[in-house]
Amino acid sequence: MSEAPNAQLPKSVDPNRLAEQNTTLEGIIPLAGLVRFSEAVPGLPEGSECHVKLSFFMDSERRRLVSGEVSAPVILECQRCMNNMQTTLESRFDLGLVLNDEQAQRLPKALEPFPMEDYNADLWAMVEDELLLVLPPFPLHERQDCPASKELEALEPQQATEKPEAKKREDNPFSVLAGLKNTKH
């Protein structure tokens, strides 16, 4: 069972059945439908969608796992120039589907737990959590693309024309001792 890449993903699925059938779901989620994420970013491009690929499977210990990839366009505020910048958030993740804290604690460290309720998993919440985790704490334009780059260059001291080695010898506090060592008494 695999969905067309441009179909909207369902909000809720039975991950146990999908894992037993080794199913991959591909589709989109309208970003406007992810309320927590929409509130966390300064803006979203008109009609923007998150592209999602989720592979459900079982490992050798019969744990239900999800391996996923998400990609979403967003508008963030550059912390250098304070202007909006459009970028794409991307994430790859591996989750263990769990019903309770005990199952979550038994997962290998490489897996993050994702709680199911009554054997249903909220795919939209799963994707929203991953997008929130990959939001950069200090988004920045590339330096050469940032409108503030000229102001930054004006504030930075000019490159010294001296070689760094010569500067290091001047600033060495032990250079006086080295001079005493080489003089004869």
Side-chain angles (χ1 to χ4, degrees):
M1 177 175 147
S2 181
E3 297 198 9
N6 291 326
Q8 183 170 309
L9 283 182
K11 285 191 178 194
S12 181
V13 296
D14 178 356
N16 291 322
R17 183 175 58 84
L18 295 177
E20 288 168 4
Q21 296 173 352
N22 206 23
T23 304
T24 296
L25 298 177
E26 286 187 63
I28 57 168
I29 296 175
L31 287 176
L34 304 178
V35 178
R36 290 180 299 139
F37 181 71
S38 297
E39 292 174 354
V41 297
L44 297 171
E46 187 74 29
S48 56
E49 301 170 330
C50 179
H51 294 272
V52 182
K53 180 178 180 181
L54 300 172
S55 299
F56 295 82
F57 59 97
M58 293 183 359
D59 68 2
S60 61
E61 295 182 27
R62 305 212 27 94
R63 289 184 286 242
R64 274 77 172 158
L65 307 177
V66 179
S67 182
E69 298 175 24
V70 297
S71 174
V74 294
I75 298 171
L76 301 176
E77 185 177 80
C78 174
Q79 298 301 297
R80 188 180 293 133
C81 67
M82 305 311 284
N83 290 326
N84 285 342
M85 58 182 262
Q86 190 162 343
T87 189
T88 300
L89 299 178
E90 295 180 337
S91 176
R92 290 184 161 195
F93 54 92
D94 295 308
L95 304 174
L97 298 165
V98 297
L99 291 169
N100 52 45
D101 288 339
E102 183 182 318
Q103 286 181 347
Q105 291 174 356
R106 286 185 285 171
L107 286 175
K109 297 291 182 201
L111 294 172
E112 288 293 321
F114 187 80
M116 296 183 292
E117 291 184 27
D118 298 326
Y119 297 96
N120 282 315
D122 185 341
L123 296 184
W124 287 30
M126 179 187 295
V127 169
E128 186 171 38
D129 289 349
E130 289 305 317
L131 289 173
L132 288 168
L133 287 171
V134 297
L135 272 174
F138 301 102
L140 298 171
H141 283 111
E142 291 297 324
R143 189 174 179 106
Q144 65 274 11
D145 298 334
C146 188
S149 62
K150 289 181 182 170
E151 288 84 6
L152 286 173
E153 289 172 8
L155 294 174
E156 291 177 347
Q158 294 296 322
Q159 294 285 337
T161 55
E162 301 176 26
K163 291 184 180 177
E165 299 158 9
K167 179 82 171 143
K168 191 184 275 186
R169 279 194 295 260
E170 275 181 23
D171 294 342
N172 186 348
F174 298 107
S175 60
V176 173
L177 295 176
L180 291 174
K181 182 179 170 185
N182 294 332
T183 58
K184 295 183 180 182
H185 296 286

